[in-house]
Amino acid sequence: NRTECAMAKSSPRNLEQLLASLVRAERASADARVSVGELLDAAGQRSFGPLLLIPGLLVASPLSGIPGLPTTAAFFVLIIAAQLLMGRKSFWLPGWMLRREISQSRTDRALRFMQRPARLVDKCLRERLVTLTHGPAVYVIGAVSMLLAIAMPPLEIVPFASSVIGIVLASFGLALIARDGLLVAVGLACSVGGGTLVGLRLL
């Protein structure tokens, strides 16, 4: 219908478009803080790609330094990935998570920080290995994302560890939005490699 077509047209198709949407949402906020719910609304359609990309970007950005934010993002990803694996077509999030707020000044700095890398990333995006971005592959992404979310809270005390996980989650989300399966392959390789290194350290 017309509403679905309008949503599809307004949904970001690359990282620069998404960041522009987030900037508009952040500046439209009535007070000095912006909520997670407002950022999610700016992402467009409530599908798995944007819902995975937003927390990934938050954790990959300098905002990861806010105490508790990586853990909140991990719970967010865990809830969404679990619902995906259960076969739900629409996703539910608790109100307290959507109401979690971040100061506009910090959000603005983080978005500005990501704008230049976003331009470089978008130049490399294209539709390829599309089979890795839909069907059964999405459930694999969901399962790996759930494992990464479980690993994130204990790694919050390790410098940059959460940011690396955020980059992988953001790669998965962007891959689903742009239908670029190469990002899925890279994200899976990083997840397996990182998991192997952690396992060897623990042995």
Side-chain angles (χ1 to χ4, degrees):
N1 57 35
R2 292 183 179 180
T3 302
E4 290 176 344
C5 291
M7 288 177 67
K9 288 179 181 179
S10 63
S11 298
R13 301 303 303 172
N14 58 39
L15 194 50
E16 278 193 282
Q17 289 180 14
L18 178 70
L19 291 178
S21 298
L22 296 180
V23 168
R24 287 195 295 271
E26 178 250 335
R27 292 178 180 172
S29 182
D31 52 34
R33 302 180 71 81
V34 59
S35 71
V36 172
E38 289 172 323
L39 295 178
L40 288 177
D41 287 340
Q45 293 174 306
R46 292 180 61 82
S47 59
F48 189 54
L51 289 174
L52 196 57
L53 179 56
I54 294 294
L57 287 177
L58 290 176
V59 177
S61 77
L63 292 173
S64 63
I66 299 176
L69 182 63
T71 297
T72 300
F75 279 116
F76 180 99
V77 173
L78 192 61
I79 291 171
I80 295 298
Q83 292 178 72
L84 173 78
L85 295 177
M86 288 189 295
R88 288 181 61 93
K89 300 301 181 183
S90 60
F91 300 105
W92 169 87
L93 286 166
W96 68 265
M97 190 173 289
L98 295 174
R99 290 191 296 269
R100 175 73 188 264
E101 292 183 327
I102 309 167
S103 70
Q104 278 191 349
S105 59
R106 285 192 174 190
T107 306
D108 191 61
R109 285 198 300 270
L111 293 175
R112 289 178 182 275
F113 172 81
M114 290 186 285
Q115 282 177 342
R116 182 172 293 179
R119 285 192 284 270
L120 297 176
V121 170
D122 285 344
K123 287 180 180 179
C124 300
L125 289 178
R126 61 181 60 89
E127 287 194 16
R128 53 192 163 187
L129 301 176
V130 178
T131 54
L132 295 179
T133 64
H134 65 86
V138 177
Y139 292 92
V140 175
I141 295 172
V144 174
S145 299
M146 181 179 288
L147 293 175
L148 292 173
I150 292 171
M152 199 185 303
L155 290 176
E156 188 171 344
I157 60 174
V158 180
F160 306 112
S162 294
S163 295
V164 172
I165 293 177
I167 290 172
V168 174
L169 293 174
S171 297
F172 286 157
L174 188 59
L176 296 176
I177 290 173
R179 295 173 60 83
D180 191 340
L182 182 60
L183 283 177
V184 177
V186 171
L188 290 174
C190 290
S191 301
V192 172
T196 301
L197 289 175
V198 170
L200 291 174
R201 284 177 174 270
L202 294 176
L203 293 177

